[in-house]
C-alpha cells in the first residue's frame, strides 16, 4: 500500500463504536466496570485511553513495529525508553544527538548510575570500540542535529545484534514516511511528535515504538508506572497531523532541496548541510536507509554578526527553536539548541557562530528564497 494511503487508513481510521470519521477525544480518567471481578479493556486512563491507544496503534503500524506508546513529550518518550536500563549498565551514544537527550543522560541518568560513552557514530568503528562487557544499549540519531551528519543505521543494528544491545534511535527528523529504523533492525524508535508528526507547531508530544512485543510490554510497564503519558486532546491532534504527513513532508522536502541548492550557489554562504545535497558527507548511506533528505537545511554565514543580522532581517520564517511545522522556522544553535555547550566544544563539533538551521515549512519556496535573499543583502549576491 502506498504510504499516503497508509497514513489515512492503516491506523484507526474511524471510531469502531459509532463510525465517526475521527476517534473521539475520550476526556476521562476512569471507566465503569460492570463486572468488578473481571475488569474490562479500559480501567484507568493512565493505563489506557482509547484516543491515546488509537495513536499508539497508528504509529506502531507506520513504523512497522509491534507496540507503540505515546508520551507527554519527545523527552518523556526518550527518558522512558532509557528507564529500561538499570544502574551500572553502559550505553554507547552518538555524540551528535538532540541536546535534551544529551542533558538527561549527563545529569539525571548519570546521577542515577547509567554509564554513557559518547562517540562520533558516523564511523561505526568508533561505536564498536566503545562497547564493553557492561554495554547494554546503543542510542544514535540520523541525520543528526544541526549538521545533518549521517550514521549508518544498518551497521548500528548489526553491532547491536552482535553484542546483544538494545538499539534505540530518534527518528524525529525523518518520520516513518522517510525512514523506518525498525525495518533496518533497530529495537526502539523514539519521536518528538511535536515536530513533523504533529506538524502544526501547536502541541508537545512524544512517541516510542518497539520492534518486538516483549520489549513493548516492558516499555508499556514503564509508561504505566512512570506515568509520563500523552493526554487525549494532544493524542487526537497528533492523529490529525499524521493524516497529512506525506503531503506535507514531500512538499517541504522538495522545497528544502531547492533552497539548499540556492544557498549553495551564493558566495556569502560558506557551507550548506543537507543530506540530499551533492557532496554531503554520508549522502550515499543516507540514500540507502531513507527516502529523501528531509526538510531541515543548515547553512553557515561568514560569522556571528552576519548570522544575527540575517535572522533579524528575515520576515517570513519564525526565528525560534523547534522544527517540523507548516511555517518555516529558523533557529540559531549558538543561543538556542547549543547554548549550554562550551564555545570550544561547540566549535570543535563544527557548530560555528555563523551557523543557522532552517526547517522548511509549506510556504512557496520562491517566497522563502526572495525573503532570505533580501535578508542576506544584495551586496554579496552571486557565486
Ligand atoms: C524536539 C526534539 C526532541 C525533544 O522533543 P520534545 O517533544 O521537545 O520533548 C527530541 N529529539 C529531537 C531530534 C528533537 O528535534
Amino acid at each position: 500500500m502506498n504510504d499516503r494511503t497508509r497514513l489515512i487508513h492503516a491506523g484507526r481510521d474511524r471510531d469502531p463504536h459509532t463510525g465517526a470519521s475521527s476517534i473521539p477525544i475520550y476526556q476521562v480518567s476512569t471507566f465503569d466496570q460492570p463486572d468488578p471481578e473481571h475488569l474490562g479493556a479500559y480501567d484507568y486512563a493512565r493505563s489506557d485511553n482509547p484516543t491515546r491507544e488509537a495513536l499508539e496503534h497508528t504509529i506502531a503500524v507506520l513504523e512497522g513495529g509491534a507496540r507503540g506508546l505515546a508520551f507527554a513529550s519527545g523527552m518523556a518518550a526518550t527518558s522512558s525508553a532509557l528507564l529500561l536500563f538499570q544502574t551500572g549498565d553502559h550505553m554507547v551514544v552518538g555524540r551528535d544527538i538532540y541536546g535534551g537527550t544529551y542533558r538527561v543522560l549527563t545529569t539525571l541518568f548519570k546521577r542515577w548510575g547509567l554509564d554513557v560513552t559518547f562517540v562520533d557514530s558516523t564511523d561505526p568503528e568508533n561505536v564498536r570500540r566503545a562497547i564493553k562487557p557492561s554495554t547494554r544499549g546503543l542510542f544514535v540519531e540520523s541525520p543528526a542535529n544541526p549538521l545533518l551528519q549521517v550514521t549508518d543505521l544498518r551497521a548500528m543494528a548489526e553491532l547491536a545484534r552482535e553484542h546483544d544491545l538494545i538499539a534505540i534511535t530518534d527518528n524525529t527528523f525523518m518520520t516513518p514516511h522517510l525512514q523506518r529504523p525498525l525495518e533496518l533492525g533497530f529495537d526502539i524508535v523514539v519521536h518528538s511528535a511535536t515536530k513533523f508528526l504533529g506538524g502544526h507547531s501547536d502541541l508537545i508530544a512524544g512517541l516510542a515504538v518497539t520492534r518486538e512485543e516483549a520489549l513493548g510490554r516492558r516499555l508499556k510497564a514503564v509508561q504505566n508506572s512512570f506515568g509520563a503519558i500523552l493526554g487525549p486532546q494532544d493524542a487526537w491532534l497528533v492523529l490529525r497531523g499524521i493524516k497529512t504527513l506525506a503531503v506535507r513532508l514531500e512538499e517541504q522536502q522538495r522545497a528544502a532541496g531547492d533552497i539548499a541548492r540556492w544557498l549553495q550557489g551564493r558566495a556569502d554562504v560558506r557551507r550548506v548541510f543537507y543530506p540530499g545535497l551533492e557532496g554531503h558527507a554520508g549522502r550515499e548511506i543516507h540514500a540507502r536507509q531513507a527516502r529523501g533528505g528531509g526538510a531541515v537545511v543548515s547553512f553557515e554565514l561568514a560569522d556571528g554578526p552576519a548570522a544575527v543580522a540575517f535572522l533579524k532581517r528575515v520576515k517570513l520564517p519564525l526565528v525560534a527553536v523547534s522544527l517540523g511545522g507548516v511555517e518555516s522556522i529558523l533557529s540559531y544553535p549558538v543561543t538556542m539548541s547549543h547554548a549550554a555547550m562550551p564555545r570550544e566544544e561547540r566549535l570543535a563539533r563544527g557548530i560555528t557562530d555563523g551557523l543557522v538551521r532552517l526547517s522548511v515549512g509549506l510556504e512557496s519556496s520562491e517566497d522563502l528564497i526572495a525573503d532570505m535573499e533580501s535578508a542576506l543583502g544584495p551586496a554579496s549576491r552571486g557565486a
Side-chain angles (χ1 to χ4, degrees):
M1 198 191 289
N2 182 288
D3 221 31
R4 288 168 67 151
T5 313
R6 275 162 40 91
L7 288 165
I8 308 289
H9 292 294
R12 298 265 157 83
D13 65 348
R14 65 206 80 178
D15 178 33
H17 306 293
T18 61
S21 57
S22 87
I23 304 298
I25 300 167
Y26 284 87
Q27 193 69 52
V28 300
S29 61
T30 194
F31 302 83
D32 180 47
Q33 304 299 325
D35 179 351
E37 289 186 296
H38 303 97
L39 303 194
Y42 303 100
D43 55 13
Y44 187 60
R46 172 160 34 74
S47 307
D48 273 309
N49 172 295
T51 317
R52 193 180 87 223
E53 195 187 50
L55 171 61
E56 293 176 332
H57 172 72
T58 298
I59 193 65
V61 169
L62 296 178
E63 286 284 6
R67 179 74 86 124
L69 296 157
F71 296 89
S73 66
M75 281 317 304
T78 296
S79 299
S80 297
L82 293 172
L83 286 172
L84 290 168
F85 299 100
Q86 58 189 39
T87 303
D89 282 356
H90 174 250
M91 285 188 84
V92 183
V93 178
R95 188 188 70 167
D96 300 292
I97 49 163
Y98 177 70
T101 306
Y102 179 82
R103 180 174 56 202
V104 83
L105 282 167
T106 53
T107 57
L108 232 139
F109 282 99
K110 182 178 182 194
R111 219 158 57 223
W112 175 81
L114 191 66
D115 179 21
V116 175
T117 305
F118 293 97
V119 300
D120 175 359
S121 61
T122 60
D123 181 354
E125 268 317 299
N126 294 337
V127 175
R128 185 191 295 279
R129 271 197 295 272
I131 295 171
K132 50 188 188 180
S134 59
T135 309
R136 298 286 175 269
L138 174 68
F139 190 112
V140 294
E141 207 170 301
S142 184
N145 183 37
L147 298 178
L148 292 313
Q149 300 100 321
V150 174
T151 289
D152 186 335
L153 296 179
R154 279 190 186 85
M156 292 299 116
E158 190 63 37
L159 276 175
R161 198 165 28 240
E162 270 173 42
H163 297 271
D164 204 17
L165 316 178
I166 297 178
I168 309 174
T169 187
D170 182 331
N171 201 26
T172 299
F173 271 45
M174 288 285 102
T175 82
H177 181 57
L178 298 180
Q179 181 168 277
R180 300 215 184 94
L182 301 181
E183 293 175 0
L184 304 175
F186 270 76
D187 300 294
I188 302 178
V189 165
V190 293
H191 281 284
S192 171
T194 308
K195 315 296 167 54
F196 292 104
L197 292 170
H200 295 72
S201 304
D202 54 8
L203 61 92
I204 299 283
L207 297 167
V209 185
T210 66
R211 184 160 47 90
E212 290 180 354
E213 180 59 31
L215 196 56
R217 272 199 298 273
R218 285 174 59 196
L219 191 52
K220 167 83 190 172
V222 172
Q223 184 197 41
N224 191 36
S225 312
F226 192 63
I229 51 157
L230 187 63
Q233 184 91 33
D234 287 341
W236 184 85
L237 276 169
V238 178
L239 275 169
R240 185 163 82 159
I242 285 175
K243 294 179 189 182
T244 56
L245 177 67
V247 282
R248 282 188 284 109
L249 202 50
E250 270 161 35
E251 185 57 25
Q252 286 166 296
Q253 173 168 267
R254 191 193 54 70
D258 290 349
I259 290 169
R261 281 183 293 276
W262 169 74
L263 286 165
Q264 206 174 32
R266 286 193 60 103
D268 49 1
V269 175
R270 294 202 165 164
R271 295 191 294 170
V272 182
F273 303 92
Y274 181 64
L277 206 58
E278 199 86 38
H280 186 81
R283 180 175 186 245
E284 290 72 28
I285 293 168
H286 182 76
R288 285 203 298 271
Q289 63 195 20
R291 298 195 305 125
V296 178
V297 181
S298 293
F299 55 100
E300 191 182 278
L301 300 177
D303 50 23
V308 170
F310 168 73
L311 291 169
K312 284 185 171 170
R313 277 202 293 259
V314 80
K315 289 193 177 67
L316 288 177
L318 303 186
V319 175
V321 296
S322 201
L323 58 112
V326 293
E327 59 291 289
S328 293
I329 300 176
L330 276 164
S331 303
Y332 189 43
V334 171
T335 59
M336 296 177 180
S337 55
H338 291 71
M341 190 177 280
R343 186 162 186 272
E344 297 73 57
E345 169 80 15
R346 177 165 61 68
L347 292 177
R349 293 188 185 202
I351 304 163
T352 59
D353 295 341
L355 190 77
V356 172
R357 187 191 74 191
L358 173 67
S359 166
V360 180
L362 281 177
E363 305 91 340
S364 129
S365 54
E366 287 77 31
D367 288 343
L368 287 172
I369 286 174
D371 184 34
M372 290 195 287
E373 184 148 52
S374 75
L376 284 170
S380 48
R381 188 179 298 167

